[in-house]
């Protein structure tokens, strides 16, 4: 026997066994919690499915939930389900596209708000932190008042809104790249650009006539009425590209929540991750905003709700924020369409009216320390 060999004591063996048992218990608890989180996501998806059918029944045309689902299924399985022509026109061509558009928009606002709160380490960060809404509003104002547009035709307002929204984001990200892509630099640059383009939009409003001013004001209120089936292929392709790109950075975002220095020590290029996620988020939000206008609070509230329910693991938090954002937006839009019918309140106004008191409730009730504190 080697003179350096020392037999393992019974106490050390017992300690090792106990530690192994504890590790196994932690793993099992993690699996259970992870299963519950996925069950919660599945429950919200089911709630969206049921809510969509109920929302379609609201309106002048009397239709039951069963008739709604029968009409929808008849589009895919016509040999099994029958479809009334009136129900087809109202359900499939008018009400259902608006709900699908709300789901797309709410999901996009939710995941982008979650990502921006993570990379900027700011609980007040939202998809509009980089001045996207202000830039898009200026693009609409420029086209409405002076007819200045890079793309003409029926999509002049949509194209102008997208181009100026992306120009806003590119300017901020380029400025941050020169100065250093810290969260403080991005936030300050976003505030400056927001004020700049808001001032330019107000200047456009000063020269606008009544019709042009009404167009600018209506667009700025936010609405889902612009969605139709011919636009969904574009949305599907952009979401299919941007969502996996953001999800691919979820683990890096988890490490960045403990601080940039700690994340760098673990091999994360924080500046590169921050710039990449901000550009992908900006592109996704600009695509949504150019069709919907400014719809606030969804990208701000949904990530907070998801974080309070399932924790701060971005591998689950990002999709959870998107699903909750979709649920919140279609619910707010349903209230806006029916609360004082037949008048339809713009969706952006309703999300603000419902979002402010709910957000104040979260602030007053929340006691758990968040990662940015």
């Amino acid at each position: 026997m080697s003179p350096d060999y020392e037999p393992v004591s019974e106490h050390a063996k017992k300690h090792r066994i106990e530690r192994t048992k504890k590790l196994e218990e932690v793993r099992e608890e993690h699996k259970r919690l992870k299963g519950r989180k996925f069950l919660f996501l599945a429950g919200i998806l089911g709630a969206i499915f049921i809510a969509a059918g109920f929302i379609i029944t609201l309106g002048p045309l009397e239709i039951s939930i069963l008739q709604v689902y029968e009409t929808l299924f008849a589009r895919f399985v016509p040999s099994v389900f029958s479809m009334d022509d009136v129900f087809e026109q109202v359900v499939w061509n008018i009400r259902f596209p608006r709900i699908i558009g709300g789901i797309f928009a709410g999901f996009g606002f939710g995941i982008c708000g979650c990502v921006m709160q993570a990379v900027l380490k700011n609980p007040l960060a939202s998809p509009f932190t980089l001045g996207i809404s202000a830039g898009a509003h200026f693009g609409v104002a420029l086209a409405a008042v002076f007819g200045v547009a890079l793309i003409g035709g029926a999509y002049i307002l949509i194209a102008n809104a997208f181009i100026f929204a992306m120009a806003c984001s590119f300017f901020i990200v380029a400025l941050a790249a020169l100065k250093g892509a810290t969260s403080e630099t991005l936030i300050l640059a976003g505030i400056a650009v927001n004020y700049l383009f808001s001032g330019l939009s107000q200047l456009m409003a000063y020269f606008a006539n009544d019709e042009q001013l009404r167009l600018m004001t209506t667009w700025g209120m936010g609405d889902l009425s612009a969605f139709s089936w011919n636009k969904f292929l574009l949305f599907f392709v952009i979401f299919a590209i941007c969502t996996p790109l953001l999800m691919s950075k979820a683990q890096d975002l988890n490490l960045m929540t403990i601080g940039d220095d700690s994340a760098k020590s673990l091999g994360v290029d924080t500046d590169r991750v921050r710039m990449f996620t901000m550009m992908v988020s900006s592109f996704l939000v600009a695509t949504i905003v150019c069709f919907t206008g400014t719809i606030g609070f969804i990208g701000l509230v949904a990530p907070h709700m998801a974080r309070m329910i399932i924790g701060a693991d971005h591998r689950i938090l990002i999709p959870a924020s998107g699903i909750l954002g979709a649920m919140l937006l279609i619910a707010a839009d349903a209230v806006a369409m029916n609360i004082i019918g037949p008048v339809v309140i713009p969706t952006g106004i309703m999300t603000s009216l419902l979002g402010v008191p709910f957000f104040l409730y979260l602030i007053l009730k929340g006691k758990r320390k968040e990662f940015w504190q």
Side-chain angles (χ1 to χ4, degrees):
M1 184 179 290
S2 172
D4 297 330
Y5 174 79
E6 293 183 4
V8 178
S9 66
E10 290 296 327
H11 177 73
K13 288 181 179 179
K14 187 180 294 185
H15 177 71
R16 186 181 300 170
I17 293 172
E18 290 178 353
R19 187 174 65 177
T20 303
K21 287 182 178 179
K22 288 182 179 179
L23 287 174
E24 288 297 327
E25 290 175 359
V26 170
R27 291 192 185 100
E28 289 298 322
E29 181 65 18
H30 174 70
K31 289 180 181 178
R32 283 196 296 270
L33 290 175
K34 193 173 182 180
R36 292 174 185 173
K37 292 174 181 179
F38 281 114
L39 186 62
F40 168 76
L41 295 182
I44 296 296
L45 286 173
I48 291 176
F49 179 77
I50 295 171
F54 173 73
I55 291 169
I56 291 176
T57 65
L58 303 176
L61 178 65
E62 292 187 3
I63 180 173
S64 68
I65 294 181
L66 290 178
Q67 289 172 322
V68 168
Y69 289 124
E70 185 178 3
T71 302
L72 295 177
F73 291 146
R75 296 289 302 190
F76 303 101
V77 193
S79 60
V80 179
F81 298 94
S82 61
M83 180 168 49
D84 183 88
D85 291 339
V86 175
F87 287 169
E88 178 188 11
Q89 179 64 25
V90 173
V91 173
W92 184 258
N93 294 324
I94 299 176
R95 297 184 185 177
F96 194 51
R98 187 181 182 106
I99 291 177
I100 296 297
I103 291 173
F104 268 109
F107 186 86
F109 287 144
I111 63 173
C112 292
C114 177
V115 167
M116 290 190 178
Q117 287 174 9
V119 298
L120 298 178
K121 299 185 182 67
N122 191 318
L124 297 178
S126 75
F128 304 128
T129 299
L130 292 191
I132 292 175
S133 60
H137 198 193
F138 173 71
V140 169
L142 200 62
V145 178
F146 294 114
V148 177
L150 299 179
I151 298 176
Y155 293 97
I156 179 173
L157 294 180
I158 293 174
N160 249 34
F162 177 80
I163 291 169
F164 279 91
M166 286 305 299
C168 230
S169 300
F170 275 122
F171 174 76
I172 294 172
V173 172
L175 183 65
L178 294 174
K179 181 68 178 175
T182 63
S183 56
E184 293 83 1
T185 303
L186 287 166
I187 291 173
L188 291 174
I191 292 172
V193 171
N194 257 310
Y195 276 108
L196 172 64
F197 280 96
S198 294
L200 291 173
S201 295
Q202 291 175 358
L203 182 63
M204 297 294 104
Y206 181 77
F207 291 106
N209 58 34
D210 290 343
E211 182 179 353
Q212 294 165 346
L213 187 60
R214 188 181 302 109
L215 176 62
M216 292 170 55
T217 304
T218 303
W219 189 92
M221 291 177 181
D223 190 45
L224 298 178
S225 60
F227 285 102
S228 58
W229 286 121
N230 60 1
K231 299 182 178 71
F232 282 115
L233 179 60
L234 171 65
F235 270 82
F236 180 80
V237 171
I238 291 175
F239 271 78
I241 294 172
C242 293
T243 303
L245 290 176
L246 293 177
M247 287 298 299
S248 69
K249 299 299 180 182
Q251 187 58 40
D252 291 338
L253 296 178
N254 286 340
L255 297 175
M256 289 174 64
T257 57
I258 61 177
D260 282 6
D261 292 337
S262 299
K264 288 177 181 177
S265 68
L266 295 172
V268 178
D269 188 343
T270 56
D271 289 347
R272 184 175 181 179
V273 170
R274 185 171 287 113
M275 300 288 279
F276 175 81
T277 53
M278 294 299 282
M279 285 308 304
V280 174
S281 298
S282 297
F283 179 75
L284 182 56
V285 173
T287 303
I288 299 170
V289 167
C290 70
F291 288 98
T292 66
T294 304
I295 298 178
F297 276 97
I298 299 297
L300 180 64
V301 174
H304 284 285
M305 291 177 61
R307 194 176 292 111
M308 291 175 66
I309 297 170
I310 65 170
D313 185 352
H314 286 84
R315 292 172 296 183
I316 302 177
L317 181 60
I318 292 175
S321 299
I323 294 171
L324 282 171
M327 184 68 185
L328 289 172
L329 186 52
I330 64 171
D333 186 57
V335 174
M337 291 184 66
N338 297 280
I339 190 170
I340 53 173
V343 177
V344 177
I345 300 174
T347 312
I349 294 177
M350 188 54 62
T351 57
S352 297
L353 292 176
L354 297 177
V356 170
F358 183 75
F359 193 55
L360 291 175
Y361 167 77
L362 292 180
I363 292 174
L364 296 175
K365 186 176 178 60
K367 296 179 180 179
R368 184 168 60 84
K369 184 176 181 180
E370 299 291 354
F371 60 80
W372 47 69
Q373 294 178 341

